[in-house]
């Protein structure tokens, strides 16, 4: 099992200009850790750099540029030596009925949330193997196990990255590399501000997509998640010798994931006899 020392750690975090990435960076620096932070615009971290100096390593990175990401990761490990924890955080939301989304919106979301996360993990694995282990936190969502109407492509990326991690965690366990999938529910970050929306069509006005669109517009979609508490729980999880496979954050996330899992299990059991009858007869 991976043993994370309680001494000062070095973290590599993507998407640090705002949201969970920014809060994590601030929290870790304040507690004395080192952070390699990637961001689209390095000036967004100028204040932190002035405060923390060499304990904050900054690189400009667009996670959709795989070759640039590999170069950045190589440089981070070269400059900093051992990196204990990788946080795959960069991503955003896309809202709209599936047929309302345009091709460019679909491609960019998949390139960022899914392919970007996959390529980040692939790029860090050789370094983690060489140093004898490490931990990877993949920021997902409650939307990695359940689904809202209007978020079909966002859910596709989150369900996709969770499946990827479930497989890779088994591949790299012999190398002392462990994963935790982080699944926040609705949280008070700037996720809504960065949400990309498709151009609405009249066909979906009186549908669940239209209802949710109206709730966003009216501000009636309830968001209770405390981002700082979640960040502190992520940091605390690294203190555990056994990495928790998943961290579910928020009452809404717990309820929605529980309901989705119970529903799928009930569906599976309802067709159990059919499933078992599909093998060759003995």
């Amino acid at each position: 099992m991976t043993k994370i020392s309680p001494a000062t750690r070095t973290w590599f975090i993507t998407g640090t200009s705002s949201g969970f990435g920014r809060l994590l960076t601030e929290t870790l620096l304040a507690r004395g850790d080192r952070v390699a932070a990637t961001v689209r615009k390095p000036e967004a971290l100028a204040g932190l750099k002035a405060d923390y100096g060499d304990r904050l390593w900054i690189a400009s990175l667009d996670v959709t540029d795989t070759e640039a990401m590999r170069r950045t990761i190589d440089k981070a490990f070269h400059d900093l030596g051992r990196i204990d924890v990788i946080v795959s955080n960069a991503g955003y939301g896309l809202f709209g009925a599936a047929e309302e989304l345009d091709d460019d919106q679909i491609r960019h979301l998949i390139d960022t949330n899914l392919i970007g996360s996959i390529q980040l993990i692939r790029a860090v694995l050789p370094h983690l193997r060489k140093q004898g282990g490490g931990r990877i936190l993949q920021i997902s969502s409650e939307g990695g196990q359940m689904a809202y109407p209007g978020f079909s492509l966002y859910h596709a990326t989150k369900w996709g990255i969770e499946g990827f991690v479930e497989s890779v965690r088994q591949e790299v366990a012999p190398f002392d590399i462990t994963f935790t999938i982080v699944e926040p529910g609705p949280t008070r970050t700037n996720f809504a501000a960065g949400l990309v929306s498709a151009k609405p069509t009249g066909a979906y006005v009186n549908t669940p997509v239209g209802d949710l669109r109206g709730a966003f517009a009216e501000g009636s979609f309830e968001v209770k998640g405390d981002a700082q508490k979640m960040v502190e729980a992520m940091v605390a999880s690294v203190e555990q010798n056994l990495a928790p496979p998943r961290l579910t954050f928020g009452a809404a996330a717990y309820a929605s994931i529980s309901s989705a899992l119970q529903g799928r299990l009930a569906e599976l059991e309802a067709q159990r006899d059919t499933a078992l009858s599909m093998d060759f007869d003995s």
Side-chain angles (χ1 to χ4, degrees), residues 56-129:
L56 177 61
W57 183 98
I58 302 171
S60 175
L61 179 64
D62 177 351
V63 297
T64 66
D65 186 338
T66 299
E67 289 305 317
M69 180 151 54
R70 289 171 180 154
R71 291 193 299 270
T72 298
I73 289 166
D74 289 346
K75 183 168 177 27
F77 275 90
H78 176 270
D79 291 352
L80 300 173
R82 181 181 180 89
I83 297 179
D84 303 289
V85 187
I86 307 296
V87 184
S88 176
N89 169 71
Y92 67 97
L94 174 62
F95 179 78
E99 66 173 299
E100 292 176 335
L101 305 173
D102 67 44
D103 292 345
D104 289 340
Q105 289 174 328
I106 291 170
R107 172 53 59 188
H108 192 266
L109 187 79
I110 292 173
D111 284 346
T112 303
N113 289 15
L114 180 55
I115 297 176
S117 296
I118 288 171
Q119 296 290 28
L120 170 66
I121 291 169
R122 278 169 30 83
V124 301
L125 289 180
H127 294 283
L128 298 181
R129 281 194 296 101

Side-chain angles (χ1 to χ4, degrees), residues 95-100 148-150 200-215:
F95 179 78
E99 66 173 299
E100 292 176 335
Y148 291 104
T201 62
Y204 286 90
V205 172
N206 297 312
T207 71
V209 173
D211 293 343
L212 195 52
R213 184 175 275 132

Side-chain angles (χ1 to χ4, degrees), residues 265-274:
L265 184 58
E267 292 166 359
L268 176 65
E269 290 302 316
Q271 60 95 63
R272 176 178 182 275
D273 290 344
T274 300

Side-chain angles (χ1 to χ4, degrees), residues 147-170:
Y148 291 104
F151 283 95
S152 58
L153 264 296
Y154 177 76
H155 289 302
T157 63
K158 294 303 182 182
W159 286 54
I161 195 58
E162 293 208 13
F164 177 80
V165 168
E166 288 285 7
S167 178
V168 176
R169 78 159 89 240
Q170 298 173 64

